[in-house]
Structure formats: structure tokens, C-alpha cells
Amino acid sequence: MKYGPFIALLSLFFLVANAQPTVKIPKKLCGLYTGSQPAYTIQTSGQVSSVLPAAMTIEVSRTSIRICYQSPTHCPVVDGKVKTIRKEGKGKAKRWEIQVLSPNSLFTEELVFYNKSKELTRFGVFPQPNTVLKKSRKK
């Protein structure tokens, strides 16, 4: 019984030491990206349904990402935490690959930021097509 507080304190230090650190996104990637997701079709139970093109925005902050469709406003990823961020290439061919954990989804969102063109590509989960978004300028 006299070792109880010591064991509790030791286990608390263990949990704090093994906690996952938050991944920070570089400031130059932060901002608002706008674009349009192309139309696509879905085939379920022998029936073919078509989905119309939709305006899309992705808001990138230092610690989270928000993905929203504009008409009607629907945000499937509200406070997505960054799972991994990786830089590839050098100079003008540099790009950043970001994986985002969606709070209520089994899938991760995959985003690629191209440094030269200031474009963000969202790789859609099948059957969604890939979407290219441009960074909005500061006002």
C-alpha cells in the first residue's frame, strides 16, 4: 500500500512519454484551397447513379485540416488530425504528402501539396475522382 502513489506516478510518466506528439504542418502550406470535384458515377445493385460536380474547400491550419463541400454545405472532415506528413523531392519538384485521420471514418484522407504550383490534390476514395484545388490568395 505504501508503494501505490509511486506506482501511479511511474505509470503516469510512462503514459506521457509514450503519447503521440501532434504533427505540425509548415506555415507555407496553411491556408484555404478551393476547387471543384468532377462528376462521377456509382454502380450499386445493378443501378447506376451519377453524382454532380461539387465545389470544395480545404482549410489547412497548423494542427488540423477541414474538408467541406459548398452546395449544400457539408463537412465530412471537420477537425482532421494529421497522421503523417512527408516531404519529397528538392527545389521546384518538391511536394508534401499529408495523411489525415477523419474523426468518424475508417479511411484516411490523402493530400499532396505541390510547392511550385501552389496546388493541393485530394486523392478520392473509390469511386470519387481526384480533386485539384488552388490556394486562395490573402485578402
Side-chain angles (χ1 to χ4, degrees), residues 49-92:
S49 302
S50 61
V51 178
L52 298 174
M56 176 183 243
T57 61
I58 297 179
E59 185 179 337
V60 179
S61 68
R62 292 280 288 159
T63 57
S64 66
I65 292 179
R66 178 184 181 101
I67 300 174
C68 292
Y69 294 100
Q70 294 306 308
S71 54
T73 302
H74 170 66
C75 299
V77 179
V78 175
D79 189 24
K81 299 298 178 197
V82 178
K83 180 180 176 183
T84 60
I85 185 166
R86 187 175 67 213
K87 179 172 64 169
E88 290 186 352
K90 293 181 180 177
K92 293 183 179 181

Side-chain angles (χ1 to χ4, degrees), residues 14-32:
F14 177 76
L15 290 174
V16 169
N18 289 328
Q20 291 182 344
T22 57
V23 179
K24 298 273 188 184
I25 297 174
K27 284 185 181 180
K28 62 184 166 187
L29 302 182
C30 295
L32 183 68

